[in-house]
Amino acid sequence: MPQFKKVQVNFYVITENRSLLTGINGMVENVFSRQDKRHKYNVYQIADPAKLVIAMLRNGNCSIAIFDSESYLFYELMLAVETIKNTNVAFKSLLLCSPQEKKKFHGFYRSLFDINMDKKANTYHIETGLSLMLKTMLDEHEYGEQPAELMPSVYTPFLKLTSQEAIVLNDIFRGKNTHEIARKLFISEKTVHAHRQRIYLKFNVHSLSELYFYIRNSTLISV
């Protein structure tokens, strides 16, 4: 008998509309309340569609992307979806659009997104769409083999860095000391030290020399 596997699902709401984000949060909570409690989820707001694929790669697991067509040019959303499809990320996509868009472009949208819905539709209908995508995703990943690595493992620590940690790492290898980095970022030297320790942890090293060796041999950046 196959072994039960906990699944972490990440919901990404690509919108600048805070009210829509709040509504989606409530819907996701309702949808997940009907699932096995061992499964977990997170909801993230993504303001820039171009940053969606990086967020998915950083967080891993299963992803459901909910796009708000009225916040962006359609080309931006289409490009985001196509970029994700070129990776091994397990994801489903839901497009929320205006009633006019839904009526005019439904056939075209179906070729790009798993589901497209009128954002002014009854909340129940949108929740039903989310439930269908979630059930499909859980059925695909709850049992069976572990998903393949999204990319070579050497990339993983770089993706886990926060934007400030990435700056600290870059400055370290440019020869800047703790005082100089602190002044540049307008933070304390103690905070710079904390960033450095978290960088070590993410790269699974214990010293600057080990970190240098790791990066030098990863061929990802030139030092």
Side-chain angles (χ1 to χ4, degrees), residues 5-23:
K5 186 164 52 183
K6 291 188 293 185
V7 181
Q8 170 78 40
V9 182
N10 295 320
F11 291 82
Y12 298 91
V13 187
I14 300 85
T15 185
E16 295 176 341
N17 186 331
R18 295 294 299 179
S19 297
L20 178 64
L21 178 65
T22 300

Side-chain angles (χ1 to χ4, degrees), residues 114-223:
D114 293 301
I115 299 177
N116 62 89
M117 303 190 74
D118 174 1
K119 68 188 296 184
K120 300 187 184 301
N122 187 293
T123 301
Y124 170 78
H125 296 301
I126 298 177
E127 278 192 19
T128 299
L130 287 172
S131 293
L132 287 172
M133 284 195 296
L134 180 61
K135 184 179 186 308
T136 300
M137 186 158 277
L138 292 178
D139 286 347
E140 290 173 353
H141 294 85
E142 189 171 338
Y143 298 101
E145 299 297 324
Q146 291 289 338
E149 287 293 322
L150 300 177
M151 58 182 64
S153 60
V154 71
Y155 285 80
T156 306
F158 292 93
L159 291 171
K160 289 182 178 179
L161 295 177
T162 66
S163 58
Q164 200 161 77
E165 287 168 355
I167 294 171
V168 170
L169 176 61
N170 186 59
D171 284 346
I172 287 173
F173 281 95
R174 288 179 181 274
K176 293 187 177 182
N177 60 36
T178 299
H179 178 69
E180 290 171 322
I181 297 172
R183 286 189 61 186
K184 174 184 176 180
L185 295 177
F186 301 101
I187 58 179
S188 69
E189 293 184 23
K190 183 177 180 180
T191 301
V192 174
H193 178 73
H195 282 320
R196 186 190 292 245
Q197 294 305 310
R198 283 194 291 271
I199 291 169
Y200 289 171
L201 183 64
K202 290 176 181 180
F203 281 87
N204 194 28
V205 299
H206 302 90
S207 67
L208 184 58
S209 59
E210 286 184 26
L211 179 62
Y212 181 87
F213 180 82
Y214 180 98
I215 294 178
R216 186 63 180 264
N217 286 277
S218 73
T219 72
L220 288 173
I221 63 175
S222 176
V223 294

Side-chain angles (χ1 to χ4, degrees), residues 74 95 97 101-102 105-113 116:
F74 180 74
L95 177 71
C97 54
E101 279 185 287
K102 180 74 168 59
F105 299 112
H106 175 67
F108 175 63
Y109 287 168
R110 282 183 61 188
S111 67
L112 295 170
F113 304 93
N116 62 89

